[in-house]
Amino acid sequence: MTSAPTKAQTAAPATPAVALPARRWLLDLGATLALLSIPVIGFWSTFDGPRYLVAAVGGLLLGMSLGALGAVLRWGILLLSGATVVAYFFFGGALALPHTTVAGVIPTLETLRLLAEGTITSWKQLLTTVTPVAADDGHLIVPFLLALVAAVLTTSLALRARSAPWALLPAAAFLAVEIALGTSQPVVPVIQGVVFGLVAVVWLAIRQAWQPQAAAVSVGETSSGARGAALRRAVMGVAVIAIAGVVGVTTSAFAAPSSPRYVLRDVVIPPFDIREFPSPLQSFRAYVRDFPDETLFTVSGLPEDARVRLATMDAYNGTVYNVSDDGAGSSSAFSPIRTNMSVNAEGTPATVHVEIGAFEGVWMPDAGAVQSVTFDGDRADDLRRTAHYNESTATGVVTASLQKGDAYTIESVIPEIPSDEALADTPFAPVSLPKQEGVPQDLADVASKAVAEAVTPIEQARALETMLSEGGFFSHGLAGEVISRAGHGAERISTLLGAEQMVGDDEQYATAMALLAREVGIPARVVMGFYPDEDQAGQGVFEATGDSLHAWVEIAFDGAGWVPFDPTPPEDQVPNDQTTKPKADPKPQVLQPPPPPQEPVDLPPTVTDDGGSEDENPLDLTLLWTIVGIGAGTLGILFVLLAPFLVIGVLKATRRRRRRAAERPADRISGGWDELVDRASDHGAPVRPGGTRLEEAGVLSTAFAEPRVGTLASRADLEVFGPAEPSPDDVEEFWAQVDEIVGGMASSRTWWQRVKARLSIRSLLAGTRFALPDRAPISARVRPERATKRAKADGAPESAPERSVPAPQENE
């Protein structure tokens, strides 16, 4: 007997999820799409463009499809999870990592590896990268994975759960994670909250209205009336909740005090303090002294006239010129390396590859406005994680310190340097620079006098540059040079400008010009870097050494950017006397020669002719060596081309000599016959393997119409298997007949056929696994048990005693 159903069984829904009406499908899927679209839009401020929507929206639609398919087919949690994992790896390449796929769709092994690693590492990479984040760095895995998982869970719970609020949990979690991974400046946060709340309330209200009620209906009330009343109550409830939500959110938006929004990015990214690292300008003289010719690093792909910068310094404290830490726009505005830096830079794109040699330090050599950096080698990951770049000053820092063997490739934009004519009417740019401290008091007066006659901004900058480059002298202060103290503190710069003659190098002159420019309101900063000499410019690879280290000044012009200036005197402009002023009138002494020396002016042609005649020998010798080199090269090429044929000739000659000089006379006779057969084989005779001499003679007679071959074969058998050893005269006569028959073979052939026979390797390959077909080698000497039979077959007397059979020759 069947037991009566319990109360719980009666209250359980009898309609499975797959039997939901169409209106429920539309309601649940529409609400899911609306709820999940809100956090997808919230990622807008995190990424650098709308390209992330491809990954996020693609993951959203893919997850909803899997959730709906799982509800229809009644998949369990394991099967649904497996399908989600497969979809993640199959579609993740096309949606999140298209640059690693084939044709942008088919995933590769690299795609699968990055997707697997991305489930763990992509979160940290997104948080440790300064926004806006580039879509090409693998960061799209985060929105794709979040949207996929949230869509699968929300759709599955909406279509399967009895209570609708359960479906709100993954959607709300998605929104919370998006906020935590986002920025402190979200996209319309009030609208996001209002829309999410309204969609959730409306969806829950309609689901509740459509839910079958357990309460009894009065007898007089029709079912249609009950449904209408329920709908009206639902609509009124939704309206009240919506109005309350809008009013509450709007009021809080205006009434609540403004406060910062804290996200995970603010906690994960530690503040970068550039003050931890000393100014590279302090090491200027050390690089010049210790690495004059040693390669610090090599740069390939550097455009002509481009410079490699090491650091930009814009803060002076009276002791050292250093990078500043005054916030945005200064040298402290460093951010982790990414692929979308300097997006607004204008100039010539360049791909520059740097390989570190003896250079060590945190300052990263770069060129132009860097857009992306790709590190190579075993330390690539460590260097990438610790690399920072300042777009305002084009300065890179690697806190892990560069060392020998490190390498990286830079995608950069090299700015064009405007001419003075283009800057004739251009004012200085209104940039914000740190306040200078500890500047000598007399610098303002020096700067004012230097620019007194200049009218335009570019003329003022050139006036300061000319005052230093033409009025000073160059010296590093090294052994054998004029004394020049290192350093660029206030005392050193004051001494430089106040001395009877200015003596220094790039460190002092660049600092002096920048300080003078700032004293008269010119925005200037100091740059330390490398660039090749004029005679080495334009080469494919630039080797940076201490001798190519420089420091220069950059001045900001409105609309033209930072323009470089070189205030350092030329290196050959050195003082002759420490007490002599730079303008001590050396030129008039040179320009006023005494009259008598002008008479022997006719002598230089004789000297020139003598010098020219002396130079003729080196010229002729050079030409001679050129001819010899060409001849030797030609002979070498001919030797290489003819070497195989020479080797063939040497091998055949050696084989003939060994046969004719065999130890036993019988072996010499046998070798003579072998020589005849081999030469015939080279001429193309179809000698079959394993034949007797008479059989071979028959083939040769037919091929060359030479009847003497048969007689020579019989004689060879008699001499080899006869009772006595052949005499030396017999051997010589036998070989003479062989040579005569071979000569007859060659005379019946054309010149080209004779050449082919000489170069043929058919006989050399005889007896080897490489023997050519249809012209097989002669078989080895007859074994002892066959000697008697061959002698009888060839007419030898039966009483002739057997002699030992000679060992096979090498060619056999």
Side-chain angles (χ1 to χ4, degrees):
M1 175 179 291
T2 305
S3 60
T6 64
K7 182 178 178 180
Q9 292 171 340
T10 304
T15 304
V18 293
L20 292 177
R23 63 176 186 174
R24 272 287 307 276
W25 277 86
L26 294 177
L27 174 65
D28 293 342
L29 294 179
T32 300
L33 180 61
L35 290 173
L36 298 181
S37 297
I38 295 172
V40 167
I41 298 175
F43 273 118
W44 186 276
S45 61
T46 305
F47 292 89
D48 61 352
R51 290 167 48 186
Y52 85 95
L53 292 175
V54 176
V57 175
L60 174 59
L61 298 179
L62 181 61
M64 291 181 62
S65 302
L66 289 176
L69 185 62
V72 172
L73 301 179
R74 300 183 181 181
W75 285 349
I77 185 173
L78 293 180
L79 186 57
L80 183 61
S81 300
T84 303
V85 172
V86 172
Y88 170 75
F89 283 100
F90 187 80
F91 294 97
L95 296 176
L97 299 171
H99 59 283
T100 64
T101 60
V102 178
V105 177
I106 303 175
T108 61
L109 293 178
E110 179 67 11
T111 304
L112 300 179
R113 184 186 68 82
L114 292 177
L115 288 173
E117 293 180 354
T119 57
I120 300 175
T121 61
S122 60
W123 316 95
K124 178 182 178 182
Q125 293 177 0
L126 181 64
L127 288 175
T128 55
T129 302
V130 176
T131 57
V133 177
D136 296 333
D137 292 337
H139 301 305
L140 294 183
I141 295 178
V142 173
F144 169 69
L145 181 58
L146 285 176
L148 175 65
V149 175
V152 170
L153 294 177
T154 305
T155 305
S156 300
L157 292 175
L159 296 177
R160 297 188 185 192
R162 298 179 182 178
S163 180
W166 288 106
L168 291 177
L169 295 179
F174 184 18
L175 179 61
V177 173
E178 176 269 317
I179 293 174
L181 297 177
T183 63
S184 56
Q185 300 295 330
V187 179
V188 288
V190 175
I191 296 180
Q192 288 185 32
V194 171
V195 173
F196 190 90
L198 287 177
V199 172
V201 169
V202 171
W203 181 41
L204 293 178
I206 296 177
R207 279 285 302 266
Q208 184 65 25
W210 288 353
Q211 190 73 20
Q213 300 296 326
V217 181
S218 61
V219 178
E221 186 177 7
T222 61
S223 60
S224 60
R227 287 194 297 270
L231 181 59
R232 286 193 298 270
R233 290 194 299 270
V235 172
M236 291 180 63
V238 168
V240 171
I241 295 175
I243 294 173
V246 171
V247 173
V249 173
T250 305
T251 303
S252 62
F254 288 100
S258 59
S259 58
R261 178 184 183 182
Y262 295 100
V263 294
L264 290 177
R265 191 178 307 277
D266 300 330
V267 180
V268 173
I269 299 180
F272 182 82
D273 189 1
I274 196 64
R275 292 173 298 183
E276 297 179 0
F277 311 104
S279 170
L281 195 59
Q282 294 177 281
S283 304
F284 185 92
R285 193 67 64 86
Y287 278 114
V288 174
R289 181 188 65 246
D290 300 336
F291 304 95
D293 300 319
E294 188 173 356
T295 301
L296 298 173
F297 57 86
T298 59
V299 182
S300 58
L302 187 68
E304 189 174 0
D305 298 332
R307 301 184 178 190
V308 178
R309 64 172 62 221
L310 202 61
T312 302
M313 292 141 286
D314 53 7
Y316 189 76
N317 59 6
T319 304
V320 64
Y321 231 131
N322 208 339
V323 293
S324 65
D325 57 351
D326 291 344
S330 67
S331 298
S332 64
F334 285 87
S335 62
I337 292 291
R338 58 189 191 278
T339 60
N340 61 342
M341 301 181 297
S342 305
V343 293
N344 297 323
E346 297 181 358
T348 304
T351 300
V352 180
H353 184 71
V354 180
E355 295 183 3
I356 303 299
F359 178 82
E360 292 183 356
V362 299
W363 305 100
M364 182 178 69
D366 59 59
V370 177
Q371 294 182 325
S372 66
V373 180
T374 303
F375 291 96
D376 304 327
D378 299 335
R379 303 177 67 236
D381 291 339
D382 295 337
L383 297 178
R384 179 187 59 81
R385 285 194 297 266
T386 60
H388 295 75
Y389 184 74
N390 183 359
E391 300 179 32
S392 300
T393 60
T395 303
V397 176
V398 181
T399 59
S401 294
L402 295 171
Q403 61 186 25
K404 187 175 183 179
D406 294 337
Y408 53 91
T409 301
I410 297 175
E411 296 294 336
S412 180
V413 176
I414 308 299
E416 296 182 1
I417 301 176
S419 62
D420 289 3
E421 292 76 11
L423 298 174
D425 300 326
T426 304
F428 295 118
V431 297
S432 176
L433 293 172
K435 183 180 179 180
Q436 297 188 138
E437 300 178 357
V439 180
Q441 297 179 357
D442 55 346
L443 261 63
D445 183 56
V446 175
S448 299
K449 293 179 180 179
V451 301
E453 299 180 0
V455 178
T456 63
I458 184 61
E459 290 178 353
Q460 295 178 5
R462 292 299 180 192
L464 293 175
E465 180 187 42
T466 303
M467 181 195 71
L468 297 172
S469 62
E470 295 184 0
F473 297 100
F474 183 89
S475 175
H476 284 309
L478 303 180
E481 298 181 357
V482 176
I483 297 175
S484 173
R485 292 187 293 120
H488 55 278
E491 184 273 334
R492 179 67 178 93
I493 301 303
S494 181
T495 303
L496 173 75
L497 297 176
E500 293 183 357
Q501 61 177 8
M502 295 183 293
V503 180
D505 56 13
D506 300 60
E507 180 185 3
Q508 290 80 43
Y509 285 106
T511 302
M513 179 177 175
L515 295 179
L516 292 171
R518 293 291 302 277
E519 288 298 306
V520 292
I522 300 177
R525 62 191 188 186
V526 177
V527 181
M528 176 177 166
F530 302 79
Y531 56 83
D533 297 334
E534 294 182 359
D535 56 343
Q536 297 177 348
Q539 296 182 357
V541 178
F542 166 53
E543 295 185 358
T545 63
D547 189 54
S548 60
L549 178 64
H550 299 280
W552 61 92
V553 176
E554 288 185 342
I555 296 178
F557 287 85
D558 193 14
W562 293 91
V563 179
F565 292 84
D566 297 299
T568 306
E571 294 188 7
D572 57 354
Q573 188 170 314
V574 295
N576 295 325
D577 191 338
Q578 289 278 3
T579 62
T580 305
K581 293 184 179 181
K583 299 179 181 179
D585 205 20
K587 295 182 179 178
Q589 297 177 1
V590 178
L591 297 177
Q592 297 178 2
Q598 295 180 357
E599 296 180 358
V601 172
D602 297 331
L603 295 177
T606 303
V607 177
T608 303
D609 292 339
D610 294 339
S613 61
E614 292 176 359
D615 293 340
E616 289 179 0
N617 290 335
L619 180 61
D620 295 341
L621 185 60
T622 302
L623 180 61
L624 177 61
W625 278 112
T626 303
I627 296 174
V628 172
I630 294 175
T634 304
L635 293 177
I637 295 174
L638 291 177
F639 177 78
V640 172
L641 295 177
L642 297 177
F645 309 113
L646 296 177
V647 171
I648 293 174
V650 170
L651 291 178
K652 289 186 177 181
T654 303
R655 180 184 62 187
R656 173 185 171 87
R657 189 181 309 106
R658 185 178 64 251
R659 288 171 173 173
R660 191 158 187 175
E663 182 179 357
R664 299 175 63 244
D667 293 340
R668 300 173 196 167
I669 296 293
S670 179
W673 177 257
D674 291 340
E675 183 70 18
L676 174 63
V677 174
D678 287 342
R679 296 293 295 274
S681 177
D682 289 338
H683 278 288
V687 181
R688 67 180 182 85
T692 64
R693 289 191 179 91
L694 291 179
E695 292 173 344
E696 293 169 351
V699 174
L700 300 184
S701 299
T702 304
F704 299 98
E706 179 57 69
R708 292 178 297 176
V709 176
T711 304
L712 192 62
S714 299
R715 181 177 176 179
D717 284 339
L718 290 174
E719 296 290 352
V720 172
F721 301 107
E725 290 283 352
S727 64
D729 294 337
D730 294 336
V731 173
E732 292 295 330
E733 183 181 358
F734 185 87
W735 272 92
Q737 293 182 10
V738 169
D739 293 339
E740 184 179 354
I741 295 175
V742 169
M745 293 179 185
S747 63
S748 63
R749 295 292 191 268
T750 63
W751 176 86
W752 178 243
Q753 290 175 336
R754 290 195 298 271
V755 172
K756 290 178 61 178
R758 285 287 184 181
L759 303 178
S760 176
I761 59 175
R762 189 179 304 276
S763 62
L764 295 175
L765 298 179
T768 67
R769 56 183 297 187
F770 304 105
L772 300 179
D774 296 332
R775 291 176 175 85
I778 307 294
S779 62
R781 286 289 128 316
V782 183
R783 294 189 300 270
E785 57 268 24
R786 296 182 55 191
T788 304
K789 295 181 179 179
R790 290 191 57 175
K792 292 180 179 179
D794 295 340
E798 296 183 5
S799 59
E802 292 184 358
R803 295 207 312 264
S804 61
V805 180
Q809 302 295 327
E810 289 186 10
N811 68 303
E812 300 170 347

